[in-house]
Amino acid sequence: MIQKFLVTLLCLLSVQVVSRCQSNVAKMNPNQLDLVWEVKQEKYQGKTQTLSTLTLKNTSQQTLPATGWSLYFNASPSLKPDGTNAPVKVEHINGDLLRMVPAASFKGLSPGSSLPIAIVTGGQMINESRVPDGFYFVWDEDNTKGLAVGDVTYLKPSRNDVGWIKAEEIYAQNSTITDIPEAQLTKIFPSPAQYTETGAAFTLTADVPLVADDRYSNVANLLAAYLGTVFGRKPAVQASGSGKAIRLQHKAGLGPEAYTLQVTSEGILISASTPAGMFYGTQSVKSLIPPAALATTQKALTIPGVEVQDAPRFGHRAFMMDVARNFQKKEQVLKVLDLMALYKLNVLHFHLNDDEGWRLEIPALPELTELGSKRGHTLDDSQNLVSALGSGPTVDASSGSGYYSKADFIEILAYATARHIRVIPEIETPGHARAAIKAMDARYTRLMAEGKKAEATQYLLRDLNDKSVYRSVQNWNDNVIDVALPSTYTFLEKVVDEMLAMYKEAGAPIQTVHFGGDEVPQGVWTKSPAVQQLMASNPKVNNTDDLWYYYFGKVNDMLKARKLYLSGWEEIGMRKVKQNGKTAYIANPDFANENFHVDVWNNLGSNVDLAYRMANAGYKVVLTNVTNLYLDLAYQKAYEEPGLNWGGYVDLDKPFYFIPFDYMKNMKVDTENKPISASAFAGKERLTEAGKKNIVGLQAPLWSETVTTPERLEYMLLPKLLGLAERAWAPDPSWATETDAAKSEAAYARDWSSFVNVLGKRELPRLNYYGKGFQYRIPTAGAKTENGKIVANVQLPGLTIRYTTDGTEPTTQSKQYTGPIAAKGTVNFKVFDGTGRSGKVTTVGAN
C-alpha cells in the first residue's frame, strides 16, 4: 500500500516518472471494446457508395485513451470516415488490410460510452460478405501484438436500397416447376446417355458377392467398402463365382469412361473397357440405392431393374478448390473428392497458393510453409503474412493459416487417383504470388545473416532494387514475381520437381501444371534493373508486355522438358495489340499450337466471346464462365446470402442451363440480374466446328475469399455443383439446340422440373448421409399474395415448407404448407429438409 501511494505521489509531482505512471495506470482491455456495424444509406450523396456507422462501445471500467492505439481490419481500401472532422483516420496497409487510428478530434471513450463513426465505402453493401471483418486492436507501445476485440455485430439494413430479391420474384422463378412423383424420376444421376427401367428389381444384401477380375479389383473393393457402410458389413470380393452377384465384367470396344449396366432379378452386371468406366458404373449402382436406406443400417435393398448405356459428354469435368485464400483441412478435401467421385467429376484443380497463402510443403524450401502458410498480425511479414480476408491477429487461429504436409498431399493424390480423379496443381504466377515472394525474402534474410549470399539469392523472386509502383486488383503492391530473374526459374523448377516426386510416390498421374497467369497489374517491372538488363541483352524483349510472352515461353519449355503441358487462366494465351487506335487482347498466335490449356473465366462485356475466340484460334479451352459456373458468387441478391457478386449471382439454375457450345444463347441476365437482349451479342465470334474440338470440358471454381469453414464451403458448393455435373456428363439436351424459341422453352421447363425433382427427392436426401453428411444450401421459399390468400412454393420439390402466422420463426413443429393460406397480417415461411435443417425465412404480408 505504501509503495503504491509513493508511486502515485511521484506521478503527481515529477515529470521524470511519467513512463512509470503510465505503466501503473490500468489499461482498457480491448476484449471489452464491442463494435457494431450498420448500413445507413446506399447510393450516398447520389454516388455508388454506402454510408454506414461503426459504433465503438466501451464495456470496460477503463477509458479508451485519446491516442496510442490502432484498430486493424479487412475491408475495401475505399473505406474512409465521412466528413472533415471525423474522430478517426483510416490508413491502407496493403491488400485488404486497413488501420483505424484516433484523430485529433477523438477525446477518448469513457467506460460505458459509445461512439458512432460515420463511414463511407465505395460500392454497395449487397450482403454481409462486403462488410469490414477481422477487427483487432494494437497498442502503439506494444505494436507487435494484435489483441482480440469484443463482440462484433452486423445489423441488417432497415431499408432495401439495393434491390434485394423479393419473395414474389422467387415465387415466379419457381412457378414453372412441376412436382413429379418419385417413381417417375430417373434413378441415376447425372443423367445417363441411355436409360430404361425394366421392372425386374434385384434384392441386394451383404451376402451378395462382387465378382471381378484383377484389373477391376480396386474398383470392386471401393464399392464393397461403401456397401459395408450400408449393411454394416462388407460383401465379399472374389475373382470368380456363380449365382447372384454384382459382376464387374470387361468388355472391349467401349469408350475410355463408358460403361453399361444391367440390373435384373438375378444380379447386377457392369461392363466397361477401362477401370475408369467400371468405376463410373459402380457410382451408378450407388445412385440406384434409395436415399432413405442410408439413414440406418440395412439388411436388404431393392435395386430397381435398369438397362443403361452411358458415357460422358466431356472428358474434363472439373471442380477448382481454392485453399490458398482460406484453408481447408485434408479431411475436408478427401470428403470433397468422395462427392466429386459420386457425381462423376474427374478433375480437381487445386489452387495451392495466392497472395494470402502457400499451402503445400516443399521440403527444400521450408519457408514457403513456415511463413507463407500463416496469417496474423505483423509489421514486416518476417514471421508470417499480414492478416487478410478477416483472419484476425492470431496465427493458427483461423482458416487463414494451414498447409498440407508432403505426407498429406501424397495421401490426397492417392485418394483421388483411386477414384479416377486427376489432380491439377496450380502454382499461381507471376501475379497473385505474394506468399511465395515473402517466404523467399525470409529465406534470403536468414542466409544473408549466415554469410551465404549465393544460397540466399538462389530462389529470390523479386529484384531487391526494383522501384516499380503498382496495385493489383486485390490492392497488393508487392505480389508479382520478377520474371527477368534467373532465380525465378530456379524456384519454379524446384517446386515442380518436388511436386512431381510426390505424384510419383502417390502413384498418381500428372500431365500438366497450372501456372495461373491472371491479373498482373499495370506498372509492374517498369523500374526493375533486372528487367532493364534483360531488355538490353534479349532482342525479343523490348518492353514489359514482351516479358509476358518471355515468361510463359520459358515456363512452357520447362514443362515440355518434363513431358508436361502448360495450363493457366486465359491470359497465358493472350497478346496485347492495337486495333483502331485502342488496346485490345487477342489469342496469341505464338502459343496456339503449343497445347496450352486455358481456363477461360471472362465472358463479361467485350470478352463475352473470348472462350470461343481462343478455341477457334487453336487453344484447348476449359469453359469456366463466371456468369454461370463461379460457385463463390452468391445464390441470390439477398442480404442473408453469403458470397461475392462482382460477376453476378449464380443460383442452381445457371450451371444447369449453361450451353457449352452456344453459351451466349443461355445468357439471360446481366450481373445485376437484369434481362439481356440477344442483340447484345451481335457481331460476336461464334464457335466453329473446328473450335468445338478444342473445348475440352467444363470447370466450376469455388474461390475462398468468403469461405472460412467447411460448412460454408459445402453451402456454396451444393447443390450448384450438381448443375455442373449434369451439364458436363449428360448428353446435349434438346432445348440447347432447338431453334424454335417456344419449343426450346417448353423442353427446358420439362428438363428443369425433372432435374430439381431428382435433387429434392433423391440426391439431396442422399447427401444428408453420404460422407457423413453435407451442409448443402436449402432454398428460400417463394411466396406471394394471390386472390386474398398467401401462396408459397419451393425450388426443390421434396423439401417441406412450414409457416407461422404469429411472427415467430418456423420450426420443424410449425404447420406444413399444403395450399393457399387465408391469413391476416404477416406469414413467415421456411423450407426444411428431412433432417430438420432449414433455409432462410421468407416473410409475406397479407391484406
Side-chain angles (χ1 to χ4, degrees), residues 474-485:
Q474 287 78 21
N475 297 295
W476 299 103
N477 64 3
D478 52 0
N479 75 332
V480 182
I481 291 171
D482 194 320
V483 300
L485 292 174

Side-chain angles (χ1 to χ4, degrees), residues 18 31 86 96 138 141 196 276 279 352 405 407 422 446 591 623 698 707 724 729 733 742 763 814:
V18 169
N31 191 246
D96 70 344
V138 174
E141 65 184 28
T196 304
F279 180 77
L352 291 166
S405 68
R422 292 180 287 118
R446 173 177 62 84
F591 296 140
L623 295 172
L698 312 183
V707 179
L724 170 82
W729 181 279
E763 296 314 310
S814 301

Side-chain angles (χ1 to χ4, degrees), residues 285-420:
V285 171
K286 289 160 66 173
S287 188
L288 289 170
I289 295 174
L294 305 184
T296 59
T297 302
Q298 301 293 311
K299 293 183 178 179
L301 293 173
T302 299
I303 307 299
V306 295
E307 292 186 358
V308 177
Q309 296 183 33
D310 202 10
R313 182 182 182 191
F314 292 103
H316 188 106
R317 306 177 300 280
F319 167 58
M320 192 221 75
M321 188 172 185
D322 172 15
V323 294
R325 267 62 176 271
N326 279 297
F327 184 67
Q328 296 287 338
K329 293 181 179 179
K330 176 190 69 177
E331 292 75 15
Q332 186 65 22
V333 178
L334 301 182
K335 187 179 181 184
V336 167
L337 288 169
D338 277 331
L339 177 75
M340 292 176 62
L342 178 64
Y343 295 115
K344 304 184 175 81
L345 299 176
N346 68 343
V347 176
L348 174 66
H349 172 174
F350 216 3
H351 188 78
L352 291 166
N353 77 293
D354 216 293
D355 298 319
E356 299 86 359
W358 180 285
R359 306 303 184 187
L360 176 61
E361 178 187 22
I362 302 296
L365 302 172
E367 290 86 359
L368 285 171
T369 45
E370 289 174 354
L371 184 151
S373 73
K374 300 173 182 177
R375 293 207 301 265
H377 179 61
T378 178
L379 301 177
D380 57 9
D381 296 288
S382 63
Q383 301 297 317
N384 54 264
L385 302 175
V386 296
S387 174
L389 305 171
S391 56
T394 307
V395 172
D396 296 331
S398 74
S399 57
S401 299
Y403 70 93
Y404 306 111
S405 68
K406 177 181 175 182
D408 289 337
F409 191 60
I410 290 170
E411 182 179 348
I412 289 169
L413 293 175
Y415 199 88
T417 301
R419 288 151 182 80
H420 297 274

Side-chain angles (χ1 to χ4, degrees), residues 245-249 260-264 267-271 285:
I246 300 175
R247 299 183 183 278
L248 282 60
Q249 176 178 286
T260 65
L261 171 63
Q262 292 176 296
V263 179
T264 70
I268 298 174
L269 174 62
I270 311 169
S271 301
V285 171

Side-chain angles (χ1 to χ4, degrees), residues 126-129 162-167 169-171 173-174 631-645 648-654 671-673 715-716 720 777-782 795 840-842:
I126 300 295
N127 57 27
E128 281 194 7
S129 296
V162 298
W164 293 318
I165 193 167
K166 298 177 181 178
E169 294 174 272
I170 300 174
Y171 186 91
Q173 291 174 356
N174 296 339
L631 304 182
D632 53 294
L633 298 182
Y635 280 86
Q636 296 172 332
K637 191 175 185 179
Y639 187 77
E640 297 85 358
E641 282 294 346
L644 303 178
N645 71 307
Y649 302 88
V650 174
D651 203 343
L652 174 62
D653 58 336
K654 285 193 177 178
T671 56
E672 289 298 319
N673 276 349
Y715 182 97
M716 302 306 294
K720 288 191 276 193
R777 176 185 182 263
I778 297 172
T780 304
Q795 183 188 59
K840 296 171 177 61
V841 175
T842 297

Side-chain angles (χ1 to χ4, degrees), residues 357-684:
W358 180 285
R359 306 303 184 187
L360 176 61
E361 178 187 22
I362 302 296
L365 302 172
E367 290 86 359
L368 285 171
T369 45
E370 289 174 354
L371 184 151
S373 73
K374 300 173 182 177
R375 293 207 301 265
H377 179 61
T378 178
L379 301 177
D380 57 9
D381 296 288
S382 63
Q383 301 297 317
N384 54 264
L385 302 175
V386 296
S387 174
L389 305 171
S391 56
T394 307
V395 172
D396 296 331
S398 74
S399 57
S401 299
Y403 70 93
Y404 306 111
S405 68
K406 177 181 175 182
D408 289 337
F409 191 60
I410 290 170
E411 182 179 348
I412 289 169
L413 293 175
Y415 199 88
T417 301
R419 288 151 182 80
H420 297 274
I421 295 171
R422 292 180 287 118
V423 179
I424 297 178
E426 180 178 358
I427 304 303
E428 180 73 85
T429 64
H432 285 278
R434 187 174 190 272
I437 292 169
K438 294 301 179 182
M440 293 302 96
D441 280 357
R443 182 181 186 278
Y444 171 84
T445 300
R446 173 177 62 84
L447 291 171
M448 286 295 288
E450 296 173 6
K452 301 175 180 177
K453 183 176 181 180
E455 292 180 42
T457 58
Q458 185 178 8
Y459 299 111
L460 201 60
L461 297 177
R462 67 181 180 95
D463 184 339
L464 300 177
N465 297 308
D466 188 359
K467 304 299 182 184
S468 303
V469 178
Y470 61 88
R471 283 284 178 189
S472 72
V473 174
Q474 287 78 21
N475 297 295
W476 299 103
N477 64 3
D478 52 0
N479 75 332
V480 182
I481 291 171
D482 194 320
V483 300
L485 292 174
S487 54
T488 287
Y489 303 96
T490 307
F491 171 84
L492 297 180
E493 288 175 354
K494 175 59 69 175
V495 170
V496 168
D497 288 342
E498 293 224 4
M499 283 198 311
L500 291 179
M502 295 181 210
Y503 274 80
K504 183 176 181 181
E505 187 172 341
I510 181 168
Q511 294 88 30
T512 184
V513 176
H514 196 292
F515 269 96
D518 64 325
E519 297 183 331
V520 171
Q522 294 294 316
V524 298
W525 307 321
T526 55
K527 297 182 179 179
S528 162
V531 167
Q532 296 302 320
Q533 184 177 352
L534 177 64
M535 289 182 181
S537 62
N538 189 327
K540 293 183 178 180
V541 182
N542 299 306
N543 51 54
T544 53
D545 290 336
D546 289 340
L547 288 170
W548 192 252
Y549 323 125
Y550 169 82
Y551 174 69
F552 280 109
K554 286 182 70 69
V555 170
N556 184 41
D557 289 342
M558 176 189 70
L559 292 180
K560 286 198 297 185
R562 291 158 174 80
K563 299 182 180 180
L564 303 171
Y565 63 83
L566 174 62
S567 292
W569 301 103
E570 61 247 38
E571 289 96 324
I572 71 168
M574 296 171 68
R575 175 177 283 276
K576 184 190 291 188
V577 297
K578 288 289 185 180
Q579 291 182 343
N580 301 320
K582 296 181 179 180
T583 298
Y585 290 89
I586 64 169
N588 187 351
D590 295 350
F591 296 140
N593 298 314
E594 288 292 319
N595 196 33
F596 279 21
H597 283 50
V598 291
D599 300 338
V600 183
W601 65 264
N602 192 350
N603 65 310
L604 301 174
S606 62
N607 290 308
V608 67
D609 59 351
L610 179 59
Y612 293 164
R613 285 191 276 129
M614 299 201 76
N616 292 344
Y619 285 90
K620 302 299 182 185
V621 171
V622 179
L623 295 172
T624 314
N625 298 42
V626 60
T627 57
N628 292 75
L629 302 175
Y630 264 45
L631 304 182
D632 53 294
L633 298 182
Y635 280 86
Q636 296 172 332
K637 191 175 185 179
Y639 187 77
E640 297 85 358
E641 282 294 346
L644 303 178
N645 71 307
W646 62 271
Y649 302 88
V650 174
D651 203 343
L652 174 62
D653 58 336
K654 285 193 177 178
F656 177 79
Y657 69 56
F658 184 68
I659 303 174
F661 291 162
D662 191 11
Y663 61 69
M664 282 175 262
K665 179 179 179 180
N666 69 233
M667 292 182 68
K668 304 176 183 181
V669 295
D670 64 13
T671 56
E672 289 298 319
N673 276 349
K674 296 177 181 178
I676 297 178
S677 169
S679 63
F681 309 123
K684 295 300 180 181

Side-chain angles (χ1 to χ4, degrees), residues 829-840:
F829 293 95
K830 233 185 183 188
V831 180
F832 291 80
D833 72 0
T835 69
R837 285 200 313 115
S838 61
K840 296 171 177 61

